Amino acid sequence: MTAEELETLDIAELLSTGDETTLRQFCVGTQPVIIADHVSNLPSEDLRFVLRHASPETRAEVFSHLHPETQLDLVDLLSRDEMISLFTHLPPDDRADLYKRLPDERTDAILPALAQAEREDIRRLTSYEEGTAGSVMTSDYASIPPNLTAEQSIEYLRTIAPDRETIYYAYVVDDQRRLMGFVSLKDIILAPRHRKISEIMHQDMISISVEEDQEKAARKIQKYDLLALPVIDQSEALVGIITHDDAIDVITQEQTEDMEKLMAIAGRHEAGVYMRTSAWGHFRNRSVWVAGLAVLGLASGFIVQNFEGFLLQFAIFAAFMPMLADTGGNTGSQSASLVIRALALNEITPRDAFRVILKEVHVGVYLGILLAALAFGRVMLMGAGSTIPEEYMLIQIAVAIAAALGFQVVSATLIGAMLPLVVARFNKDPAVIASPALTTIVDITGLLIYFYTAQFILKV
Amino acid sequence: MTAEELETLDIAELLSTGDETTLRQFCVGTQPVIIADHVSNLPSEDLRFVLRHASPETRAEVFSHLHPETQLDLVDLLSRDEMISLFTHLPPDDRADLYKRLPDERTDAILPALAQAEREDIRRLTSYEEGTAGSVMTSDYASIPPNLTAEQSIEYLRTIAPDRETIYYAYVVDDQRRLMGFVSLKDIILAPRHRKISEIMHQDMISISVEEDQEKAARKIQKYDLLALPVIDQSEALVGIITHDDAIDVITQEQTEDMEKLMAIAGRHEAGVYMRTSAWGHFRNRSVWVAGLAVLGLASGFIVQNFEGFLLQFAIFAAFMPMLADTGGNTGSQSASLVIRALALNEITPRDAFRVILKEVHVGVYLGILLAALAFGRVMLMGAGSTIPEEYMLIQIAVAIAAALGFQVVSATLIGAMLPLVVARFNKDPAVIASPALTTIVDITGLLIYFYTAQFILKV
């Protein structure tokens, strides 16, 4: 269908009037990804009815573009035969993903009806741990014999194209399936007709190990502007490829995860599920850390209680506690999130710790001086209304509060930068240095700095 | 060069021994993006020396994979003739980016030496505002006449391939350059030899307007798994394409920006420049908001001062102020960042405000009950050591603090969800509802809730 026809298309109306001719036309003459776009919000029953008008190949391709939850709802309605057809036609990576999400009784019913090679493929693709390169790769790559000429290669790719995720990159492997090189279809088209693949192929290749982190794979695709990245196992045999579209999804996914971790939100960190997650689900994801931190916050309560006598004497110090807490939390979170981001983009590694800390001390001192000056001004302006002991002058109080805030800012900036580096050093995700956790930590250090500095300067 | 040869390659050693044969072999037999990877950290002088061994085409391609700052350092060393050669061979989008960054005296020297078409292309590509689809597109797309057969098309694409960013998608335009359809090279290869392009091409096309946000373009590429997205102007004429690799870069860029805005960091939000930014630069980016918020924080100081009498009577309330501030900030930031992320991924729009708020009230009430219960327990446990007026029982204090915290959590959750929606409603970037700004706001509302609830329950 043309773009204009699609714009005026109302699937719900077609369904209510029973206009199957237009439905068939829609399902045959439209790209699967655009069909998916138009039907994704239909009730599962209607979705199934519409897709019956498409060929098994198109149906499977539309299916693979639907949201995982929509997929599961639809699968619930399918008969065993429809499921077998779907499993036969789905791209291997989407098939493996669906397999993992289905209950055992469904998969047990389908598995025996699939070909041996397909069963084996499912078993292999589902065996890699979530989050690894292996878990996002597909096994439908194009490999090509090195002795073909450029002209023969085009013929060869034509015959295998219908089953491959991409034919724009073709991989050359030896008899142990070890990766020897790759050619792009552009290389083949530009080469003289009788030039052999072995002469055209690139041997300077970027690949990734099947056990590596999926984000590392995505960042390689980004860095080298690849259409697909070959994935190899321990014996250097080619086992699959990760394509550019999977790389974008992985990056979006990982960034949702980083942001949620940074806000101390637990859970599976799936992208695009805000509305689909129930209030209760949100509550569980958000409460774990927040409640934990509230308990950890006991410490700051104890500190304040410990200085109750001091506060009763100098009530003005209570008025500046919220600012102390906020400013420390803000500056610490800023430096933590910058360091976490730089680590995520591979701009720095834990080995750069010294240079990072040097830079942050530098920034912290500037920020500390600025904020101390602001605090000094505030105390001098606002303090006039406060009751302070007769033997003290307001300026002494102002100096004490400004100095304490300055120290707090420097220490919060440093702590914010150091914690992610330490976590990364132990090969954990630095994003767990959640901004709320950091805020609670620098609150505790901040209150200690605050009261001790004040007592020292005021000689209490 | 093969992967093994590249692994043992030491460019610095080649330079010191003057081994130009190996240098030439490296520059001729290696993919440009991999050359860029190996030379990107060399001093500019050495970089220039190495690249002299490459062809002008390879040199330009290597150049386009270097970091923008490295590009500028290198360009500083180039003669006028070298610059002209570089400008002639760079891909149009990279050429336009470099042009924008060069000082006028450099561009004035080169421009007259370029062909009329190239000058015109630079003028056009640099005319779009930063952040729009137009500013990231390239003009090197492949267009194809509709009357060619599949067989002729391959020949045709062969002739234009060397100059095009991609030949895997080819666009069909009418005589006003209006977009009529597109074919992929896979479609062409799979089609019967004598089938015409006009019969193969897809008319259900995804495109984007030149003025649209670059992130919207990147999200379309992601959603529809595209290799390239055609960009059209107001008269629906095709003016360029955005490729999959640019989409990944835009998404990384936008996410760095969102995270930095969320942490109230100002500046240009460029990805991957943590180390390159000076301490003074970091200070400027981070201080603007933090200092502004410290000033806004005056309000919370005033509130506390206003209740100084109450705090002198009930010092225990001071001990729970840090927890009140932290918990409000944490829960508010969580809901703000979830809503901001859902808006960024187009999962929700401001029109969903009512449903979002309903959900957040729900989550907020759950969180409020949990945290109030925790606070109640804490006061009962910790409060024993505090001095409270004789006429009150500890349990009354505990109820007052728990109730205040519960209200604070519900209101912070709601404020956190609503502010980004309001900002998005006015077509501004919701990420400006920075977590630190939100923390300061909910601190103010929180303290008011705290003291008024306490006074109401304790009947002071």
Side-chain angles (χ1 to χ4, degrees), chain A residues 1-3 6 30-31 33-34 37 65 155 158 161 164 168 182 184-186 189-191 193 202-204 206 219 222-227 244-245 248-249 251-252 255-256 260 262-265 271-275 277 279-280 282-283 286-287 290-291 293-294 297-298 301-302 304-305 308 312 315 318-319 321 326 330-331 333-335 337-338 341-342 345 347-348 355-356 359-360 362-363 366-367 370-371 374 378 382 386-387 436 439 443, chain B residues 1-3 6 30-31 33-34 37 65 155 158 161 164 168 182 184-186 189-191 193 202-204 206 219 222-227 244-245 248-249 251-252 255-256 260 262-265 271-275 277 279-280 282-283 286-287 290-291 293-294 297-298 301-302 304-305 308 312 315 318-319 321 326 330 333-335 337-338 341-342 345 347-348 355-356 359-360 362-363 366-367 370-371 374 378 382 386-387 436 439 443:
Chain A
M1 281 191 166
T2 65
L6 282 168
T30 313
Q31 299 173 72
V33 60
I34 295 180
D37 203 18
H65 283 107
E155 270 317 303
R158 186 201 308 273
R164 306 300 146 146
Y168 300 138
F182 87 101
S184 72
L185 186 48
K186 187 174 175 180
I189 284 188
L190 279 174
R193 279 162 218 277
H202 305 282
Q203 292 179 272
D204 49 343
I206 308 297
R219 292 293 172 200
Q222 173 173 25
K223 180 173 179 188
Y224 297 104
D225 291 351
L226 301 174
L227 283 176
H244 64 100
D245 47 317
I248 299 193
D249 291 340
I251 285 173
T252 300
Q255 282 174 327
T256 300
E260 294 195 356
L262 203 65
M263 288 299 151
I265 296 166
V273 295
Y274 174 80
M275 277 315 220
T277 306
W280 184 251
H282 276 295
F283 166 67
R286 299 192 214 172
S287 59
V290 168
L293 292 173
L298 273 171
F302 276 123
V304 179
Q305 250 182 339
E308 232 177 59
L312 287 172
M321 270 168 46
D326 284 353
N330 291 349
T331 49
S333 302
Q334 284 187 337
S335 77
S337 47
L338 286 175
R341 187 74 184 149
L345 296 180
E347 195 198 340
I348 57 172
R355 285 163 62 214
V356 172
K359 190 180 276 276
E360 290 298 317
H362 217 125
V363 180
Y366 289 152
L367 284 171
L370 173 69
L371 291 161
L374 276 174
R378 279 179 56 175
M382 282 175 53
S386 276
T387 39
T439 303
D443 255 19
Chain B
M1 280 191 168
T2 65
L6 282 170
T30 313
Q31 297 174 73
V33 61
I34 294 180
D37 204 19
H65 283 109
E155 271 317 304
R158 186 202 309 273
R164 305 301 145 147
Y168 300 138
F182 86 102
S184 71
L185 187 48
K186 185 175 177 180
I189 284 189
L190 279 175
R193 278 163 220 277
H202 305 281
Q203 292 179 276
D204 48 343
I206 307 297
R219 293 293 173 199
Q222 173 173 26
K223 181 174 177 186
Y224 297 103
D225 292 349
L226 301 174
L227 282 177
H244 63 101
D245 47 315
I248 299 193
D249 292 340
I251 285 173
T252 299
Q255 283 174 327
T256 299
E260 294 195 357
L262 203 66
M263 288 298 152
I265 296 166
V273 296
Y274 174 80
M275 277 318 229
T277 307
W280 184 251
H282 276 294
F283 166 68
R286 302 193 212 171
S287 61
V290 169
L293 292 173
L298 271 173
F302 275 125
V304 178
Q305 250 182 341
E308 228 176 62
L312 286 172
M321 270 168 47
D326 285 352
N330 291 349
S333 302
Q334 285 188 337
S335 78
S337 48
L338 287 175
R341 186 75 184 148
L345 297 180
E347 195 199 338
I348 58 172
R355 284 164 62 213
V356 171
K359 190 180 275 279
E360 289 299 318
H362 217 124
V363 180
Y366 290 153
L367 283 171
L370 173 69
L371 290 162
L374 276 175
R378 280 179 56 175
M382 281 176 54
S386 276
T387 39
T439 301
D443 255 17

Side-chain angles (χ1 to χ4, degrees), chain B residues 121-437:
Chain B
D121 188 66
I122 291 176
R123 198 200 54 69
R124 212 163 43 80
L125 286 181
T126 53
S127 69
Y128 301 105
E129 212 182 310
E130 278 304 304
T132 60
S135 74
V136 286
M137 72 181 186
T138 184
S139 47
D140 262 351
Y141 55 85
S143 62
I144 195 167
N147 56 339
L148 291 189
T149 63
E151 192 170 24
Q152 291 167 331
S153 299
I154 295 179
E155 271 317 304
Y156 175 79
L157 289 175
R158 186 202 309 273
T159 59
I160 64 169
D163 291 334
R164 305 301 145 147
E165 182 109 2
T166 180
I167 54 163
Y168 300 138
Y169 284 176
Y171 300 92
V172 183
V173 292
D174 66 13
D175 46 11
Q176 263 110 53
R177 301 209 63 76
R178 270 195 309 250
L179 198 55
M180 295 164 59
F182 86 102
V183 280
S184 71
L185 187 48
K186 185 175 177 180
D187 297 328
I188 295 176
I189 284 189
L190 279 175
R193 278 163 220 277
H194 299 294
R195 182 72 58 83
K196 286 241 166 85
I197 290 294
S198 55
E199 298 166 285
I200 315 170
M201 72 179 185
H202 305 281
Q203 292 179 276
D204 48 343
M205 239 177 334
I206 307 297
S207 64
I208 194 155
S209 151
V210 76
E211 306 287 351
E212 272 283 13
D213 192 302
Q214 59 177 9
E215 187 172 9
K216 234 174 214 166
R219 293 293 173 199
K220 278 196 171 180
I221 290 176
Q222 173 173 26
K223 181 174 177 186
Y224 297 103
D225 292 349
L226 301 174
L227 282 177
L229 176 70
V231 182
I232 54 177
D233 67 10
Q234 280 137 339
S235 58
E236 302 206 347
L238 179 63
V239 288
I241 58 169
I242 299 176
T243 49
H244 63 101
D245 47 315
D246 293 326
I248 299 193
D249 292 340
V250 165
I251 285 173
T252 299
Q253 180 58 41
E254 294 280 340
Q255 283 174 327
T256 299
E257 199 173 312
D258 278 4
M259 187 171 278
E260 294 195 357
K261 281 188 183 164
L262 203 66
M263 288 298 152
I265 296 166
R268 290 176 52 222
H269 306 298
E270 222 172 309
V273 296
Y274 174 80
M275 277 318 229
R276 287 167 202 267
T277 307
S278 67
W280 184 251
H282 276 294
F283 166 68
R284 276 183 315 180
N285 291 343
R286 302 193 212 171
S287 61
V288 186
W289 270 90
V290 169
L293 292 173
V295 172
L296 182 61
L298 271 173
S300 55
F302 275 125
I303 294 169
V304 178
Q305 250 182 341
N306 217 25
F307 289 91
E308 228 176 62
F310 176 81
L311 280 179
L312 286 172
Q313 200 184 351
F314 298 92
I316 187 172
F317 276 87
F320 286 89
M321 270 168 47
M323 190 196 65
L324 177 91
D326 285 352
T327 308
N330 291 349
T331 50
S333 302
Q334 285 188 337
S335 78
S337 48
L338 287 175
V339 171
I340 288 169
R341 186 75 184 148
L343 285 166
L345 297 180
N346 292 321
E347 195 199 338
I348 58 172
T349 71
R351 258 173 287 155
D352 299 308
F354 184 73
R355 284 164 62 213
V356 171
I357 286 166
L358 211 67
K359 190 180 275 279
E360 289 299 318
V361 170
H362 217 124
V363 180
V365 168
Y366 290 153
L367 283 171
I369 291 171
L370 173 69
L371 290 162
L374 276 175
F376 182 85
R378 280 179 56 175
V379 178
M380 294 306 286
L381 280 175
M382 281 176 54
S386 276
T387 39
I388 52 170
E390 275 180 15
E391 61 272 36
Y392 291 97
M393 283 184 303
L394 186 59
I395 195 163
Q396 287 175 289
I397 310 275
V399 168
I401 289 179
L405 186 71
F407 291 144
Q408 158 72 339
V409 167
V410 176
S411 85
T413 307
L414 252 187
I415 293 173
M418 274 166 55
L419 285 184
L421 288 167
V422 170
V423 172
R425 174 69 192 73
F426 290 102
N427 286 321
K428 301 281 175 206
D429 184 351
V432 299
I433 297 307
S435 162

Side-chain angles (χ1 to χ4, degrees), chain B residues 81-110:
Chain B
D81 282 351
E82 285 173 313
M83 283 287 282
I84 292 167
S85 157
L86 181 65
F87 260 74
T88 313
H89 292 99
L90 272 180
D93 48 346
D94 296 312
R95 181 167 63 194
D97 286 344
L98 178 62
Y99 183 89
K100 279 188 272 188
R101 266 187 255 107
L102 283 181
D104 284 351
E105 67 265 27
R106 297 294 317 257
T107 53
D108 287 351
I110 308 158

Side-chain angles (χ1 to χ4, degrees), chain A residues 157-192:
Chain A
L157 289 174
R158 186 201 308 273
T159 58
I160 65 167
D163 291 335
R164 306 300 146 146
E165 183 108 3
T166 180
I167 53 163
Y168 300 138
Y169 283 176
Y171 300 92
V172 183
V173 292
D174 65 14
D175 46 11
Q176 263 110 53
R177 300 208 65 75
R178 270 194 308 250
L179 198 54
M180 294 164 60
F182 87 101
V183 280
S184 72
L185 186 48
K186 187 174 175 180
D187 296 328
I188 295 176
I189 284 188
L190 279 174

